[in-house]
Amino acid sequence: AWSWDFGDGIISISQNPQHIYTVPGNIPVTLLVTDQNDCTDALQKTIPYFPVPQLLVVAPSEYVGCQPASIFFENLSTPINDQYTVNWDFGDGTTGQGISPTHVYEDIGVFDVSLEIISPIGCQTDTFWPELITVLPSPIADFTYTPNQPSNIEPTVYFTDQSIDAVKWRWMFGNVGNSIQQNPSFTFPDTGMQVVQLVVFHESGCTDTMIQMLDIIPEVRYWLPNAFTPDGDGNNDVFKGKGLLEGATNFRMMIFNRYGERIFETTDPDEGWNGRKNNVGEMAPLGVYPVVVTFTDPRGKPVEFRGFATLVK
């Protein structure tokens, strides 16, 4: 009796079998024989199985790409493994090795591709594919904008296209707007970091993308007047700061007399001092009163203003 182990998980009990291997390599083949007395003997030999493929088959990730075109050449030829020498000529003056390489075509044009395979025991085959890869021209996306530091006070941004070889434009302003104009403007409804993306199209259909981050600054503008006249005529009767405090927190204004006594305090930026202690009681005498205002700006930075409130009649 005969028992063959072909080294790839297949067993046969024929005396003189045939076997087809699908994977190359140094394959251990074992023959176990048994006589009529149930005596056995075994023999193992290593078979160097390294044929070259009968047919070379390649499937590029794309046959037509945009400059620069990154093409993955999937080698479907069998049987081969990493013990084979695999030589490529990509047709653009460059060569490479590897079973299934990726190649970047930097220039536009139509390119022939050739492939050579050499087995570890010296068997060789090759083939040539004329005009296999076409690389089309691409545009180059670029843009500038003004003002350089947009803010909640200047939220409208003007964009200038600086792209090369573009025939169409697609702008995306974060998640809040878009445009197909070449040189659009956009008013951002909120502050903070905004993603602006420009996609440009070449007449070949190829595209390029540029992304820039715009910081819409939450500006705070605040100032203290230097005098007020609490005479009840409805004009300049209270002392309070003016300006833009949108997004500011932890507001506090304190006013002191000449002896360092705090005579007024508020956490409401819309509340002013009417010239009386804690805004009640008798009118304070004419004179100059130190003022301290503190708050936290919209980005967490502490701010302090010091000034003087001059009480006049």
Side-chain angles (χ1 to χ4, degrees), residues 226-228 230 239 255-258 263 273 275 283-291 308-313:
N226 54 20
F228 73 117
F239 180 89
I255 299 178
F256 302 86
N257 63 19
R258 61 195 300 183
I263 60 175
W273 180 43
M283 181 67 63
L286 303 182
V288 177
Y289 295 82
V291 181
F308 297 94
T310 302
L311 194 160
V312 297
K313 291 285 182 75

Side-chain angles (χ1 to χ4, degrees), residues 4-275:
W4 295 84
D5 183 342
F6 298 114
D8 59 357
I10 304 299
I11 304 295
S12 174
I13 58 173
S14 298
Q15 182 178 3
N16 299 300
Q18 291 184 344
H19 183 65
I20 298 176
Y21 288 96
T22 58
V23 178
N26 291 302
I27 302 171
V29 177
T30 303
L31 170 61
L32 177 67
V33 294
T34 305
D35 65 12
Q36 59 186 359
N37 298 315
D38 288 332
C39 295
T40 62
D41 192 22
L43 176 66
Q44 184 182 83
K45 290 187 176 183
T46 299
I47 308 298
Y49 179 69
F50 294 100
V52 291
Q54 294 184 353
L55 179 66
L56 297 186
V57 181
V58 170
S61 56
E62 355 176 53
Y63 291 92
V64 179
C66 294
Q67 177 194 25
S70 179
I71 309 294
F72 171 64
F73 291 90
E74 185 177 8
N75 193 341
L76 302 177
S77 312
T78 58
I80 55 174
N81 62 18
D82 57 9
Q83 294 177 277
Y84 285 65
T85 299
V86 183
N87 298 318
W88 297 82
D89 187 329
F90 299 110
D92 61 349
T94 62
T95 59
Q97 290 189 321
I99 294 177
S100 296
T102 296
H103 180 66
V104 178
Y105 287 90
E106 300 289 350
D107 299 321
I108 62 174
V110 179
F111 302 97
D112 307 326
V113 175
S114 62
L115 171 63
E116 177 190 46
I117 296 178
I118 304 172
S119 78
I121 59 175
C123 300
Q124 186 271 348
T125 187
D126 59 64
T127 195
F128 172 80
W129 293 279
E131 300 182 354
L132 182 66
I133 302 297
T134 300
V135 179
L136 301 175
S138 294
I140 299 175
D142 191 17
F143 66 88
T144 58
Y145 60 88
T146 56
N148 293 328
Q149 291 188 327
S151 68
N152 54 330
I153 297 173
E154 291 184 284
T156 299
V157 180
Y158 300 89
F159 296 91
T160 302
D161 172 52
Q162 302 284 353
S163 304
I164 299 174
D165 295 334
V167 296
K168 289 196 301 183
W169 301 262
R170 185 174 70 214
W171 298 82
M172 283 156 281
F173 308 111
N175 297 319
V176 292
N178 55 72
S179 175
I180 58 172
Q181 297 179 4
Q182 181 178 2
N183 299 298
S185 64
F186 186 75
T187 300
F188 289 90
D190 201 0
T191 58
M193 300 302 296
Q194 306 289 338
V195 180
V196 176
Q197 176 177 284
L198 169 62
V199 180
V200 293
F201 298 79
H202 192 275
E203 61 182 1
S204 66
C206 294
T207 65
D208 190 33
T209 301
M210 183 179 192
I211 295 175
Q212 293 196 55
M213 301 293 296
L214 271 65
D215 186 8
I216 311 301
I217 300 171
E219 285 196 55
V220 170
R221 295 188 179 180
Y222 183 82
W223 68 94
L224 293 170
N226 54 20
F228 73 117
T229 57
D231 53 12
D233 65 354
N235 182 32
N236 200 27
D237 282 335
V238 296
F239 180 89
K240 65 177 182 178
K242 298 180 181 180
L244 181 66
L245 282 175
E246 182 179 354
T249 58
N250 303 319
F251 178 88
R252 187 184 186 194
M253 180 171 74
M254 296 176 291
I255 299 178
F256 302 86
N257 63 19
R258 61 195 300 183
Y259 305 108
E261 178 189 7
R262 186 172 58 206
I263 60 175
F264 178 74
E265 180 177 2
T266 183
T267 58
D268 181 357
D270 293 322
E271 182 183 11
W273 180 43
N274 64 8

Side-chain angles (χ1 to χ4, degrees), residues 268-282:
D268 181 357
D270 293 322
E271 182 183 11
W273 180 43
N274 64 8
R276 305 172 188 273
K277 184 175 182 180
N278 297 322
N279 277 358
V280 296
E282 294 186 1

